[in-house]
């Protein structure tokens, strides 16, 4: 992970997000900031995959995260900074 202005980020996310968008599983949404939204096709794929034992653990974890940590980017950033105070003092683009 790398420290950026609004919290940790991993540059490996970019190709992953691009691949998901290329397969029409997400679409990018930009109001005043970056966002990614799951498409209907993405929802259908997630439901289908969740039925396979190999993906059921991932589905349960995602459900848990949504139920317990369904946060905005700003809320997530605040929690990261509160929980990892050393990260706040690192220079931008430092490896975490």
């Amino acid at each position: 992970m790398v420290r950026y202005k609004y919290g940790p980020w991993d540059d490996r996310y970019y190709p992953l997000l691009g691949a998901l968008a290329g397969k029409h599983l997400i679409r990018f949404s930009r109001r005043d900031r970056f966002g990614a939204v799951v498409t209907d096709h993405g929802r259908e794929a997630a439901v289908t995959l969740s039925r396979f034992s190999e993906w059921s653990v991932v589905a349960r974890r995602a459900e848990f995260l949504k139920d317990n940590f369904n946060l905005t980017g700003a809320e997530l950033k605040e929690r990261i900074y509160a929980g990892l105070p050393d990260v706040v003092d690192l220079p931008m683009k430092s490896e975490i």
Side-chain angles (χ1 to χ4, degrees), residues 62-75:
E63 185 80 24
F64 174 84
L65 291 172
K66 183 179 180 196
D67 290 346
N68 295 281
F69 300 99
N70 194 17
L71 306 171
T72 66
E75 291 168 331

Side-chain angles (χ1 to χ4, degrees), residues 50-85:
S50 72
R51 294 183 185 130
F52 291 93
S53 60
E54 299 89 350
W55 286 98
S56 63
V57 172
V58 174
R60 286 194 307 272
R61 288 178 181 171
E63 185 80 24
F64 174 84
L65 291 172
K66 183 179 180 196
D67 290 346
N68 295 281
F69 300 99
N70 194 17
L71 306 171
T72 66
E75 291 168 331
L76 182 58
K77 176 197 70 154
E78 293 302 321
R79 286 203 180 188
I80 289 168
Y81 285 174
L84 301 169

Side-chain angles (χ1 to χ4, degrees), residues 2-23:
V2 176
R3 183 192 189 283
Y4 286 94
K5 185 174 181 180
Y6 296 106
W9 181 258
D10 191 320
D11 287 331
R12 293 176 293 183
Y13 295 159
Y14 291 115
L16 175 63
L17 291 169
L20 292 171
K23 295 183 182 299

